[in-house]
Amino acid sequence: MHYLIDESLSRVPDLVHGFGRKDFNEYDLQAFARERNLRPVLLDQIHSDVVHIIDDVPPVRPRGDALVTNVPGLLLVVKTADCLPLLLMDERLRVVAAIHAGWRGTRSRIVQKTVRAMKTRFGTNPADIVAAAGPCIGPACYEVGEDVRREFLSAEFPDDLFVPAGRPGKYFFDLEAANALQLRSAGVPPGPPAGLSACNHCDPDFHSYRRDHSPSDRMFSFIGLFSP
Ligand SMILES: [Zn+2]
């Protein structure tokens, strides 16, 4: 399998999703979509808190870091290589979202803003959301500076997301935990243990920008609805 599947999302009918490994490139993604008669929607990702609600394939890639739709036949895609990919599904109203959360987007609370967009536009009850997190850089590998820690503290994140790294002004940051916190404060119920929380920096099956320094190698995470 060229992509990982989340157990909770895999139980939802007429839904397709996955977190691609590094052997699932953009060509593979396009072929995957074509075979299933899905139309992929990609973003021009800018490490922002900008959420796009879409009902068709936009003529140009929207600038932003989260996509939301309730339209069957669209495949929402985010690209990562250390950042956290998140896939959300409102089971009751059948609304899906894909989020790219690096530290900047996380600090700007892109996850909470995506849930808010689903509420405002579609009437989503956060209690109906199933959320899955894909592989991202793990806390043992993600060293950040005092500047990053200060930005999070001033945005009212708890300091225990940062563990001193043993060198002055350096901390290990738990990116996945910072986003899990946002899901909880948005009212999204905790799922079963994800089992996907592989560190892409440690695992050679995944791309890692910090490890490989490639400006173009990214992994593709995707979610889309089929017509029932
Ligand atoms: Zn690691």
Side-chain angles (χ1 to χ4, degrees):
M1 191 81 110
H2 301 292
Y3 49 88
L4 304 173
I5 292 293
D6 176 77
E7 206 180 309
S8 303
L9 286 178
S10 70
R11 284 195 287 266
V12 179
D14 302 311
L15 178 76
V16 65
H17 81 282
F19 298 99
R21 299 179 199 271
K22 76 177 180 190
D23 60 356
F24 186 78
N25 61 26
E26 187 160 356
Y27 178 84
D28 300 322
L29 171 84
Q30 298 286 352
F32 175 93
R34 213 166 32 243
E35 284 159 16
R36 288 158 183 81
N37 210 17
L38 295 165
R39 293 179 300 150
V41 181
L42 286 90
L43 287 161
D44 178 8
Q45 296 178 184
I46 52 173
H47 293 276
S48 70
D49 60 353
V50 176
V51 181
H52 290 276
I53 300 175
I54 55 161
D55 55 13
D56 204 347
V57 179
V60 291
R61 291 184 181 186
R63 282 170 71 81
D65 294 276
L67 287 164
V68 179
T69 195
N70 68 344
V71 176
L74 298 178
L75 190 66
L76 310 184
V77 182
V78 289
K79 297 186 289 183
T80 58
D82 293 334
C83 297
L84 177 71
L86 279 155
L87 303 175
L88 271 52
M89 165 82 189
D90 172 349
E91 279 200 84
R92 189 172 57 94
L93 298 177
R94 296 193 61 80
V95 180
V96 289
I99 306 170
H100 158 248
W103 77 259
R104 287 189 177 81
T106 301
R107 186 263 335 261
S108 310
R109 299 186 182 271
I110 188 164
V111 168
Q112 280 166 273
K113 288 174 182 173
T114 304
V115 173
R116 194 184 305 153
M118 293 168 76
K119 275 165 83 170
T120 308
R121 175 68 172 267
F122 299 105
T124 288
N125 177 351
D128 295 327
I129 293 178
V130 178
C136 72
I137 190 162
C141 292
Y142 197 10
E143 191 180 274
V144 300
E146 186 65 47
D147 51 334
V148 172
R149 174 171 166 257
R150 295 232 162 272
E151 289 219 34
F152 275 86
L153 296 183
S154 67
E156 296 181 357
F157 282 86
D159 202 10
D160 63 7
L161 295 169
F162 296 86
V163 174
R167 300 195 288 137
K170 296 292 181 187
Y171 300 86
F172 291 118
F173 173 52
D174 196 333
L175 180 66
E176 188 177 1
N179 284 284
L181 268 180
Q182 291 182 53
L183 287 169
R184 297 300 89 77
S185 34
V188 177
L196 296 183
S197 42
C199 172
N200 65 287
H201 187 269
C202 292
D203 188 333
D205 283 348
F206 300 100
H207 289 302
S208 168
Y209 181 76
R210 283 202 169 203
R211 186 188 63 216
D212 306 328
H213 307 290
S214 163
S216 57
D217 288 337
R218 296 291 179 270
M219 296 171 294
F220 295 88
S221 299
F222 53 88
I223 189 165
L225 300 162
F226 291 116
S227 301

